[in-house]
Amino acid sequence: MKGIFKFKHWQKTSTNKIQKIIKNKKVIGVIGASRKMGVTHICLCIANFLQSALKQNVLYIELAEDSQLLPVVGEKQINFDGHIAFSYKKVTYVLACDEEEAVSLINSWNGHIVIDVADYSKNSYQVLCRCDKKIMIGSLQPWCIKDVEMMIEKLKGDGLKEKFIYTYENDTDTKPSGNPLGCTIRTRPFIENPLKLKEEDFNAIVEMIL
């Protein structure tokens, strides 16, 4: 555990939770109920937390036809197991992957993997099946709830029903009573900058990935 607690004011998260995350390396997949739900933002938060706070080897897979992250993380190109990758703040990024490349990377990487899933399809389903933790982000605002319901039905039909829906911070007032969606609903944490995390961001990220 030496070196992990360089963030010495981070006291609320128990040592047991940290040890559990480190010991049980996971493939974490994040998908949105629709576009512009902040999937990439949350994925960057998780990847950078695992590396900067817990000093883990982290691979970020962008499962998409085109890369949104290349202008941000694409300065230092490296090679990983025959794949073109990029190193940024000690996280390894493989961008604009298809399903076949993503599965190959999952098989060869020794460490934590964060998968940014752009769209739900037959191809992305194959990758999501390999994820130990799946997070679906949606908004519970009246004009967005239909997208959430439709995504849940797709996931249920394919045997991938998710446990968590992360909503926007200001959605708490519209949270439905009971649980009509059949999922655990949590408020999406507000994290200002996923590439410059603060200690107060850590506990929310831990709760997402445990």
Side-chain angles (χ1 to χ4, degrees), residues 4-192:
I4 289 172
F5 291 103
K6 73 171 188 175
F7 300 99
K8 54 188 176 183
H9 299 295
W10 181 33
Q11 299 173 344
K12 292 184 179 180
T13 301
S14 72
T15 302
N16 288 339
K17 287 183 178 180
I18 296 167
Q19 289 176 329
K20 185 176 180 181
I21 292 170
I22 292 173
K23 182 179 179 181
N24 301 318
K25 292 181 171 59
K26 289 183 176 179
V27 181
I28 303 166
V30 185
I31 190 168
S34 56
R35 290 282 188 166
K36 306 300 181 183
M37 286 288 111
V39 169
T40 297
H41 188 98
I42 289 296
C43 286
L44 288 170
C45 290
I46 295 170
N48 283 285
F49 167 75
L50 289 168
Q51 199 295 310
S52 63
L54 302 191
K55 303 304 178 188
Q56 299 297 289
N57 292 324
V58 183
L59 173 65
Y60 188 115
I61 297 174
E62 185 184 38
L63 190 67
E65 290 185 5
D66 301 300
S67 178
Q68 298 183 47
L69 285 175
L70 184 60
V72 180
V73 304
E75 194 170 301
K76 182 181 178 183
Q77 183 174 317
I78 61 174
N79 180 285
F80 169 67
D81 198 25
H83 301 272
I84 295 173
F86 301 90
S87 179
Y88 186 76
K89 293 192 174 184
K90 299 183 179 179
V91 173
T92 299
Y93 292 82
V94 181
L95 305 177
C97 285
D98 60 20
E99 174 262 334
E100 184 177 350
E101 185 175 18
V103 171
S104 173
L105 288 162
I106 292 170
N107 291 336
S108 57
W109 182 260
N110 181 25
H112 291 275
I113 301 174
V114 180
I115 305 179
D116 179 343
V117 184
D119 293 295
Y120 188 69
S121 65
K122 289 182 179 180
N123 288 336
S124 59
Y125 162 77
Q126 298 297 328
V127 177
L128 282 167
C129 283
R130 298 292 302 274
C131 295
D132 306 300
K133 179 78 175 183
K134 306 175 198 65
I135 298 169
M136 194 258 286
I137 302 175
S139 172
L140 297 180
Q141 295 289 3
W143 51 89
C144 298
I145 190 67
K146 189 64 178 178
D147 292 327
V148 175
E149 292 173 343
M150 289 174 64
M151 180 60 74
I152 289 173
E153 287 306 310
K154 288 179 184 178
L155 296 170
K156 284 170 63 177
D158 289 334
L160 293 174
K161 182 181 175 183
E162 301 312 308
K163 293 183 178 179
F164 303 110
I165 300 172
Y166 285 90
T167 71
Y168 285 109
E169 189 72 24
N170 59 5
D171 279 356
T172 48
D173 289 341
T174 62
K175 183 176 176 180
S177 59
N179 194 359
L181 297 174
C183 296
T184 301
I185 300 172
R186 292 187 177 181
T187 301
R188 177 190 169 191
F190 174 76
I191 299 173
E192 185 176 359

